[in-house]
Amino acid sequence: MRLLIVEDNEKLSDWLARLLRSENYVVDCVADGEAAVQGVSLENYDLVIVDLGLPGMGGMEVVRHLRARQIQVPILILTAEDALGRRVQGLNVGADDYMTKPFEVEELTARIRALMRRAGKTLRQELRFGPLVFDQNSLLFTIADAPLPLSRREHVILEALIRRAGSTVSKETLLESCYGHGDDVNLSAVEVIVHRLRRKLEHSQISIATLRGLGYVLRQDKP
């Protein structure tokens, strides 16, 4: 899943991005409100984290602007302002949740998962495709009940495939799911990751088939 952080504190933004990437999210960061509403396509994100104290266009105005454009992505306000009136205002203009700094990491990741569930991103605890299982609460894969060790990018691509199991997923979609908008990569990076995934799925009855010119599809092979 892809997240956007709108935060002008570079150290906090970098730390938060590293934390969330370790949880297998793809994370992009922008440092001001104008960049959030004009410089990126918000429809490509599953959740947006917004700081209120942004330079120029403030966080409250960012939330108001996104909702006025009918962008329904879940929004989590993350700020040092803890006054009740500000929390109420943030929720009233369209934010889905509100956390104050400092915060506990476990609570932040739990709130992100809860927002995903509310938005319909996580309707079931588990996604199953034959012996391959993705637990959407722990964010872990197992195959035949055994843990499946994956790198972060392997995890992101396999998650994208199991969420669309039985359907073809283009290389472009996988590239966008796996890398941030500032990463200098091309489609060959996806091919390398899929090759590594195929090796890890050997002898499991699960394979990743290539449909030339279209992309990849997850398949279950006969025993």
Side-chain angles (χ1 to χ4, degrees):
M1 291 186 177
R2 193 182 188 102
L3 312 182
L4 178 67
I5 299 173
V6 189
E7 169 64 67
D8 65 313
N9 184 320
E10 184 176 355
K11 288 185 177 179
L12 175 59
S13 180
D14 288 346
W15 174 80
L16 190 55
R18 288 197 303 271
L19 165 72
L20 294 171
R21 286 169 185 147
S22 73
E23 296 283 334
N24 295 311
Y25 294 107
V26 177
V27 183
D28 291 326
C29 303
V30 294
D32 60 81
E34 287 83 356
V37 300
Q38 298 176 8
V40 295
S41 178
L42 274 299
E43 292 84 357
N44 293 332
Y45 293 95
D46 296 292
L47 183 135
V48 179
I49 298 174
V50 180
D51 178 42
L52 287 188
L54 297 170
M57 180 184 287
M60 205 73 76
E61 187 59 30
V62 170
V63 176
R64 187 180 289 109
H65 188 89
L66 297 182
R67 294 310 188 217
R69 289 166 53 192
Q70 302 300 310
I71 294 174
Q72 298 304 313
V73 60
I75 299 174
L76 171 64
I77 289 176
L78 191 62
T79 181
E81 300 185 39
D82 62 354
L84 175 61
R86 290 292 275 173
R87 295 200 300 272
V88 171
Q89 182 185 5
L91 296 171
N92 283 341
V93 299
D96 298 278
D97 203 354
Y98 194 115
M99 281 194 68
T100 57
K101 308 171 188 175
F103 55 86
E104 295 295 333
V105 171
E106 293 82 359
E107 182 180 2
L108 174 64
T109 54
R111 284 177 182 254
I112 289 173
R113 289 193 293 270
L115 287 173
M116 297 292 192
R117 287 195 296 271
R118 254 186 265 166
K121 302 292 183 181
T122 306
L123 298 178
R124 292 173 288 165
Q125 180 177 342
E126 294 180 343
L127 295 177
R128 291 180 173 269
F129 189 75
L132 180 67
V133 178
F134 177 52
D135 187 315
Q136 298 191 93
N137 288 325
S138 68
L139 301 180
L140 296 176
F141 277 97
T142 57
I143 193 151
D145 297 323
L148 181 62
L150 300 169
S151 70
R152 181 175 67 85
R153 289 189 172 120
E154 290 168 355
H155 187 290
V156 170
I157 284 186
L158 189 57
E159 181 181 344
L161 289 171
I162 197 172
R163 287 188 182 281
R164 301 166 179 83
S167 300
T168 305
V169 186
S170 70
K171 289 182 183 179
E172 291 81 4
T173 297
L174 293 176
L175 185 72
E176 187 176 275
S177 297
C178 200
Y179 291 91
H181 65 261
D183 293 327
D184 184 18
V185 292
N186 56 38
L187 294 177
S188 63
V190 173
E191 296 169 2
V192 171
I193 297 170
V194 169
H195 174 73
R196 295 203 302 258
L197 278 171
R198 283 172 169 154
R199 297 193 65 176
K200 292 186 176 183
L201 294 170
E202 282 181 340
H203 315 301
S204 70
Q205 300 177 30
I206 300 298
S207 62
I208 301 172
T210 301
L211 299 183
R212 191 171 300 277
L214 297 175
Y216 300 104
V217 61
L218 205 59
R219 286 185 174 166
Q220 184 175 3
D221 304 321
K222 293 182 180 179

